[in-house]
C-alpha cells in the first residue's frame, strides 16, 4: 500500500526463556501524522535487562498490547537502539527525515526493523563521527557508570581516592574505568577468572583503558587481599571510598571488606543471583553505606540530565577519548529468519562472550 511501511518485530505473548517464547511478526505501519515519527532501526543491543523482561523477572515489564495486529496481545523486547527517521508527521518539530535518534526512556521495544513513536519519546543525536552501534549503546551503560561515580561519593583525585568494582569487563565496568581515568580516580577492576593467556590479555586490555589494578574474583576472595589493597593505597592513607557491584553474593561481600570507613557500595545488578550478606561490623564499626542504582528510574526522573550525559559521552567517542565495549554483530536483514535472531538472543545467556550482542540492521 502506498505510504505504508512494512515492519518485522521480535515479539512474545507470554514470559519465559527467549528460545521458547520469541517469534517474528510482520506488520504494516501507516504514514505518520501530527507529531508521530516512522523510524527504521539501525542498531539495537541485547542487554541483560532485555532478557530479564522476556523472562518476566525484571521490575518493569513492557505491556502486552494488540497494536501490532497479533492474534494474542504481544510485547516487543529491547530498550536501546539507534534509529533513522524515515518520515515525520506535519506537527513534528524536533527532528526531520534522515536524522538519527535514540530512546529517551526505556521500554520502547527496539528489537524490530521499524516502529512508529511520538517525537517526545526520542532524542536526536548528531550522527557525524559515530556508528549506529555507538549511538545505540550509549543510553544505559555509560550513563549508569557516570551517575554511580558522581552521585553517591564525591571522589577526590587530589587525595588519591580509589573505587573498586566487580564485573569490570562489562559495558558499565569498561565505562567506569575510562571515566575514572578521565576524572583522576584510581580503581581496582575485578573480573571473573579466565584461563591462562585469555586472562592475561583481558588484564592488559583493562589496564590500557585505565584500570589501576586488575584482579580476579579468586584473588579478592583469598585471605590477605585486604593487606594487598593496603599496600596499593599507601598503607591505607588513600581511601577506597566507593564500590560498584553487579555480581552480588560472596564476591560482593569480599569487595566490601576492603572499603574505607564511611564508604558506599552501590549495587546495580546481581549476576550471580546470590544474596549479599553484610556482617554487622561493616555497618556498626565501618559505617559503610549500601545503596542501589537503577538507571531506568534515574533516566525517567532526569531526562534533561540524561541528555547532557549522553551528549558528553558521544562527543568523547567522536574525539577518540572513549572506547566502545566489544560487540558481536548480529545481522538482521529483511530475509533473516526467526531462528537466527532467537538463537542470538538465547546465546547471550550462555558462557563467556567475546562482546555485547548487537542487532545490526541491513536492507530492511
Amino acid at each position: 500500500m502506498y505510504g505504508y511501511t512494512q515492519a518485522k518485530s521480535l515479539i512474545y505473548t507470554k514470559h519465559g526463556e527467549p528460545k521458547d517464547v520469541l517469534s517474528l511478526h510482520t506488520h504494516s505501519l501507516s504514514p505518520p501524522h501530527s507529531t508521530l515519527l516512522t523510524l527504521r532501526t539501525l542498531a539495537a543491543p541485547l542487554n541483560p535487562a532485555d532478557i530479564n523482561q522476556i523472562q518476566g523477572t525484571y521490575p518493569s515489564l513492557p505491556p502486552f498490547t494488540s497494536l501490532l495486529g497479533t492474534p494474542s496481545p504481544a510485547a516487543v523486547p529491547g530498550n536501546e537502539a539507534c534509529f533513522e527517521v524515515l518520515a515525520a508527521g506535519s506537527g513534528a518539530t524536533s527532528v526531520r527525515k534522515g536524522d538519527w535518534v535514540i530512546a529517551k526512556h526505556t521500554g520502547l521495544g527496539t528489537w524490530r526493523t521499524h516502529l512508529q513513536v511520538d517525537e517526545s519519546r526520542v532524542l536526536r543525536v548528531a550522527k557525524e563521527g559515530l556508528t549506529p552501534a555507538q549511538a545505540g549503546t550509549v543510553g544505559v551503560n555509560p550513563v549508569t557508570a557516570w551517575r554511580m561515580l558522581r552521585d553517591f561519593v564525591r571522589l577526590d583525585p587530589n587525595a588519591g581516592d580509589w573505587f573498586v568494582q566487580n564485573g569490570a569487563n562489562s559495558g558499565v565496568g569498561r565505562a567506569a574505568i575510562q571515566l575514572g581515568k578521565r576524572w583522576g580516580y584510581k580503581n581496582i577492576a575485578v573480573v571473573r577468572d579466565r584461563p591462562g593467556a585469555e586472562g592475561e590479555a583481558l588484564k592488559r586490555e583493562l589496564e590500557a583503558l585505565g584500570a589501576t589494578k586488575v584482579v580476579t574474583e579468586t584473588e579478592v576472595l583469598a585471605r590477605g587481599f585486604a593487606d594487598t589493597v593496603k599496600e596499593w593505597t599507601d598503607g591505607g592513607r588513600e581511601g577506597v571510598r566507593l564500590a560498584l557491584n553487579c555480581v552480588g553474593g560472596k564476591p560482593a561481600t569480599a569487595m566490601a571488606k576492603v572499603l574505607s570507613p564511611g564508604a558506599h557500595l552501590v549495587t546495580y545488578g546481581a549476576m550471580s543471583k546470590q544474596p549479599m550478606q553484610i556482617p554487622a561490623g561493616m555497618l556498626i564499626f565501618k559505617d559503610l553505606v549500601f545503596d542501589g542504582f537503577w538507571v531506568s528510574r534515574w533516566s525517567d526522573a532526569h531526562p534533561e540530565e540524561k541528555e547532557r550525559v549522553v551528549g558528553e559521552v558521544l562527543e568523547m567517542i567522536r574525539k577518540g577519548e572513549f572506547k566502545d565495549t566489544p560487540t558481536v554483530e548480529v545481522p538482521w536483514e529483511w530475509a533473516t529468519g526467526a531462528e537466527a535472531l532467537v538463537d542470538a538472543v538465547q546465546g547471550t545467556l550462555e558462557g563467556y562472550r567475546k562482546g555485547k550482542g548487537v542487532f545490526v540492521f541491513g536492507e530492511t
Side-chain angles (χ1 to χ4, degrees):
M1 291 179 284
Y2 178 74
Y4 279 69
T5 300
Q6 295 298 301
K8 287 185 178 182
S9 303
L10 277 174
I11 63 166
Y12 56 100
T13 57
K14 62 181 180 180
H15 294 121
E17 290 303 309
K19 61 182 175 59
D20 299 326
V21 299
L22 286 180
S23 61
L24 194 59
H25 174 68
T26 304
H27 55 105
S28 298
L29 300 174
S30 59
H33 60 84
S34 186
T35 55
L36 289 177
L37 309 173
T38 298
L39 308 178
R40 182 174 85 87
T41 316
L42 301 177
L46 288 68
N47 289 315
D50 305 327
I51 308 298
N52 295 152
Q53 287 183 326
I54 297 168
Q55 293 167 329
T57 60
Y58 202 67
S60 64
L61 300 173
F64 292 104
T65 76
S66 300
L67 295 176
L68 299 183
T70 50
S72 302
V76 179
N79 290 285
E80 279 192 289
C82 173
F83 308 97
E84 178 188 16
V85 178
L86 281 189
S90 58
T93 59
S94 60
V95 297
R96 58 187 177 185
K97 183 178 178 179
D99 283 348
W100 284 10
V101 296
I102 62 173
K104 186 177 287 188
H105 304 289
T106 55
L108 198 59
T110 59
W111 293 1
R112 44 182 152 184
T113 61
H114 304 77
L115 71 160
Q116 200 167 81
V117 297
D118 190 86
E119 66 173 337
S120 64
R121 298 188 66 189
V122 295
L123 297 173
R124 180 184 176 276
V125 296
K127 58 186 173 183
E128 294 75 24
L130 299 173
T131 67
Q134 288 170 331
T137 56
V138 75
V140 173
N141 291 337
V143 174
T144 298
W146 187 301
R147 294 323 323 171
M148 291 194 300
L149 288 174
R150 289 299 208 194
D151 290 353
F152 296 93
V153 179
R154 182 57 72 167
L155 297 176
D156 182 357
N158 296 320
D161 283 349
W162 293 65
F163 70 92
V164 58
Q165 62 167 335
N166 53 32
N169 186 39
S170 67
V172 173
R174 287 168 174 264
I177 288 169
Q178 293 179 81
L179 293 172
K181 180 182 179 182
R182 185 180 184 88
W183 296 332
Y185 307 155
K186 298 176 183 178
N187 67 91
I188 302 167
V190 184
V191 297
R192 286 188 294 177
D193 294 78
R194 285 167 172 76
E198 185 183 350
E200 283 301 314
L202 178 60
K203 180 178 180 179
R204 289 193 298 271
E205 186 181 352
L206 297 184
E207 287 173 343
L209 286 180
T212 313
K213 301 290 182 181
V214 181
V215 294
T216 65
E217 284 186 354
T218 296
E219 291 174 282
V220 174
L221 289 165
R223 190 182 301 274
F225 181 66
D227 293 331
T228 301
V229 173
K230 191 172 182 179
E231 290 177 16
W232 293 341
T233 57
D234 192 20
R237 283 180 281 275
E238 297 171 347
V240 184
R241 301 184 55 219
L242 178 67
L244 310 179
N245 168 44
C246 66
V247 176
K250 291 180 180 178
T253 306
M255 192 169 64
K257 289 179 180 178
V258 305
L259 290 174
S260 302
H264 286 243
L265 185 146
V266 185
T267 294
Y268 67 99
M271 290 192 296
S272 72
K273 295 184 169 62
Q274 297 298 314
M276 181 173 59
Q277 295 184 342
I278 303 171
M282 288 187 181
L283 301 172
I284 300 169
F285 305 118
K286 293 191 74 175
D287 197 24
L288 298 187
V289 181
F290 293 82
D291 307 278
F293 182 75
W294 186 20
V295 71
S296 300
R297 181 165 54 201
W298 182 89
S299 298
D300 289 345
H302 305 88
E304 292 178 358
E305 182 66 6
K306 177 183 176 178
E307 186 172 0
R308 184 189 70 79
V309 172
V310 165
E312 289 201 32
V313 173
L314 289 177
E315 191 55 33
M316 289 163 57
I317 292 172
R318 291 188 188 96
K319 293 178 178 178
E321 298 171 355
F322 190 93
K323 290 192 174 182
D324 312 347
T325 298
T327 58
V328 176
E329 294 190 357
V330 180
W332 186 334
E333 307 285 342
W334 183 258
T336 303
E339 185 177 359
L341 301 175
V342 174
D343 283 349
V345 176
Q346 189 67 32
T348 64
L349 297 169
E350 296 162 6
Y352 293 114
R353 304 190 303 277
K354 300 207 179 294
K356 174 187 286 292
V358 179
F359 288 127
V360 176
F361 295 78
E363 295 298 322
T364 57

